[in-house]
Amino acid sequence: MKRRFLIECGGAETRAAYLIGDEVVRFSFGPARGDEALRRPPQTGDLYLGRVRSVSKSLGGAFVDLGADREAFLPYKKDEALAPEGSSIIVLVRRPPIGGKGAVLSADWKRGLGAAAVLALQEQADARRNPGALGEPVDAAIHAFVLARPEGSEPLDEVITNDAAAAALLRACGAEQVFSADSPFETYGAAEALESALERTVMLPGGARLIFDQAEALTVVDVDAGAAADGASGRLNDKVNLLAAKALPGELARRAVGGRIVVDFLPPGSADARKRLVDALKEAGRERFDARFGKLSADGLFDMTAPRTRLSLLEEATEPAGADWVVPGRRFSLDWRAKRAVCALEAALAKRPSARPRLVAGAGLEAYLSKSRPQWPQRVAERYGSRFEIARNDGLEERGFDIFE
């Protein structure tokens, strides 16, 4: 099957999608081209100059100040010398901050770097006094191309971007089969897949469904026969389970779910049915979702564990809300909503060259675009001309928006 990598450079963000055939199996999001130097939380693959705040022999590691909002944790290998408190150290981010936990680090930062790059980073670190990110900001399109593909994935058949300058940079960096296209996320179904991946419920053929409930340390997936149920027969259960098994790895991959995952399948009809179900999961997960499988119980409970190296899509897009609730909820972050608003505006402008769309935004969203990120509308104007308007509407929810043409 053809493997495509989409890189869509917008006024507010650079987003990427990896496709196997027609299926999106991974998303990534980064700053817009030109915003690479904006301050952001540590991300997997970043290099930092850190300062050791404290060493914990019982935990087998050290807490390190990166100059970020939270201290990070640097685990030590057995018999490895511990850096003394107060010392400076170059570290690689292995896992970004997630929830209330800081980043997880590695001291093995030289791997894959040439001698000249190692020397330059060491000199930069020696000249620094305060903790912070090392290295020069990398063009957002290049960063997406290098870091956003799944590790160990097959060679790409096509790289498609909507930005001619980004395409030239990608070719100069050795990327092959680079093509330009307007709105690649829309053209190849990635925009629709992104919206679907943020939904709690996924419908399966015949009326069955998958229901996702994601917490910080655990994701639970319920397989519900739904409208497909015409009785509690083992044959029906096995049919629904196989449909769920084929869809589940791709859904988990698109949602970037990691950590412990528990799936509540319908009770399989027999031991042979359980084996077929596990085999179907393994086959569907090949190239799509890297996980360590556990056991499938007779009543249908199945657990697996996936690497937790990045924020899930839910964590990327939302923030905790309602801390005083019995069960805290989440809402889309202001930054995510602002990026979606700019993206929707760009889509309206690209769809019809004669259109003069009007982005109507709630008070919080309009203030964010006009005061905190004025460069985003400016980039849209540079690409499409000043044939749009952004207006505030106090009748909308604070982070709400709509597009009128």
Side-chain angles (χ1 to χ4, degrees), residues 194-209:
L194 175 58
E195 295 302 318
S196 175
L198 286 164
E199 296 289 337
R200 179 172 178 252
T201 300
V202 175
M203 299 305 299
L204 299 174
R209 57 185 182 172

Side-chain angles (χ1 to χ4, degrees), residues 6-312:
L6 314 179
I7 303 176
E8 190 164 283
C9 302
E13 70 176 349
T14 301
R15 56 184 185 174
Y18 176 61
L19 288 77
I20 299 177
D22 294 328
E23 181 185 12
V24 179
V25 297
R26 186 179 175 104
F27 292 106
S28 73
F29 307 91
R33 299 186 68 227
D35 282 350
E36 292 90 348
L38 286 179
R39 188 174 184 270
R40 58 173 175 78
Q43 295 181 354
T44 301
D46 287 347
L47 290 171
Y48 273 80
L49 175 66
R51 179 169 292 120
V52 178
R53 288 295 191 188
S54 61
V55 175
S56 173
K57 292 184 178 180
S58 62
L59 294 176
F63 292 94
V64 181
D65 176 14
L66 300 180
D69 294 336
R70 293 192 297 273
E71 291 182 351
F73 185 70
L74 173 63
Y76 286 99
K77 298 176 183 177
K78 189 176 180 180
D79 300 327
E80 187 176 5
L82 301 179
E85 293 182 4
S87 61
S88 295
I89 182 173
I90 298 178
V91 289
L92 172 73
V93 178
R94 289 179 53 195
R95 194 198 73 186
I98 295 175
K101 300 177 181 178
V104 176
L105 310 174
S106 170
D108 187 16
W109 60 273
K110 297 180 182 179
R111 183 180 300 180
L113 296 177
V118 170
L119 179 61
L121 286 165
Q122 191 66 64
E123 290 177 346
Q124 187 181 359
D126 292 342
R128 294 277 297 271
R129 292 187 177 182
N130 299 319
L134 292 174
E136 297 300 320
V138 178
D139 182 272
I142 300 300
H143 187 271
F145 180 71
V146 172
L147 295 179
R149 282 179 295 159
E151 188 174 348
S153 58
E154 295 289 331
L156 295 168
D157 295 295
E158 294 178 344
V159 179
I160 303 169
T161 180
N162 65 330
D163 189 291
L169 277 175
L170 289 163
R171 294 189 188 100
C173 290
E176 299 179 353
Q177 300 299 314
V178 181
F179 302 98
S180 296
D182 294 332
S183 307
F185 262 56
E186 290 287 342
T187 302
Y188 293 96
E192 183 179 353
L194 175 58
E195 295 302 318
S196 175
L198 286 164
E199 296 289 337
R200 179 172 178 252
T201 300
V202 175
M203 299 305 299
L204 299 174
R209 57 185 182 172
L210 299 174
I211 303 172
F212 291 81
D213 286 303
Q214 182 180 330
E216 186 173 330
L218 176 71
T219 296
V220 177
V221 185
D222 181 43
V223 179
D224 181 24
D230 56 4
S233 69
R235 182 177 298 178
L236 172 67
N237 288 358
D238 295 340
K239 180 180 179 181
V240 171
N241 283 343
L242 287 175
L243 289 172
K246 292 177 182 179
L248 183 59
E251 289 293 339
L252 292 170
R254 280 188 290 278
R255 295 162 189 260
V257 172
R260 186 78 179 273
I261 303 161
V262 176
V263 186
D264 187 9
F265 287 103
L266 301 173
S270 65
D272 286 343
R274 292 201 300 273
K275 183 180 184 304
R276 288 195 298 270
L277 178 55
V278 174
D279 289 344
L281 272 168
K282 291 179 179 178
E283 178 61 29
R286 189 173 291 121
E287 291 192 60
R288 287 166 173 77
F289 192 65
D290 179 23
R292 185 176 72 249
F293 285 4
K295 293 183 178 181
L296 175 64
S297 68
D299 63 358
L301 278 179
F302 181 77
D303 72 279
M304 65 179 91
T305 305
R308 191 87 153 97
T309 59
R310 55 191 295 231
L311 295 175
S312 71

Side-chain angles (χ1 to χ4, degrees), residues 345 348-349 352-359 386-389 404-405:
L345 177 61
L349 289 163
R352 287 199 302 119
S354 61
R356 303 185 69 84
R358 188 167 184 253
L359 169 61
S386 300
R387 55 186 176 93
F388 64 89
E389 178 188 0
F404 295 95
E405 297 186 32

